[in-house]
């Protein structure tokens, strides 16, 4: 994959519901690394004052390897 071009995926399901079947189901995700993401606001003339990450997800991101919490 060259920079600036998305992946082309034609898979059943989504990252939220792996067994969902949509037609058509072609998606075009782009990969944006943390460096590119954090550098974007200052590059656009904005000031980045805080960066916080979530410590969990609302779906079973790794099936069979996650524990439900509060």
């Amino acid at each position: 994959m060259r920079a600036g071009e998305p992946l082309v995926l034609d898979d059943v399901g989504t990252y939220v519901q792996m067994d969902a079947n949509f037609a058509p189901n072609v998606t075009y995700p782009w990969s944006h690394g943390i460096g590119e993401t954090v550098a974007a606001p200052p590059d656009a003339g904005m000031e980045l004052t805080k960066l916080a990450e979530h410590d969990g997800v609302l779906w079973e991101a790794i099936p069979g390897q996650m524990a439900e919490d509060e």
Side-chain angles (χ1 to χ4, degrees):
M1 176 178 72
R2 292 181 300 182
E5 294 182 10
L7 295 171
V8 179
L9 304 176
D10 189 6
D11 298 323
V12 174
T14 70
Y15 65 92
V16 177
Q17 187 174 355
M18 299 302 289
D19 59 352
N21 192 0
F22 301 102
N25 198 41
V26 178
T27 58
Y28 302 89
W30 278 264
S31 177
H32 299 284
I34 188 73
E36 179 183 2
T37 303
V38 172
D43 288 350
M46 295 185 277
E47 181 181 359
L48 183 63
T49 60
K50 183 177 181 178
L51 175 64
E53 295 181 87
H54 294 282
D55 62 357
V57 294
L58 299 176
W59 64 92
E60 192 174 6
I62 308 170
Q65 299 183 32
M66 299 182 72
E68 189 170 341
D69 198 356
E70 297 175 19

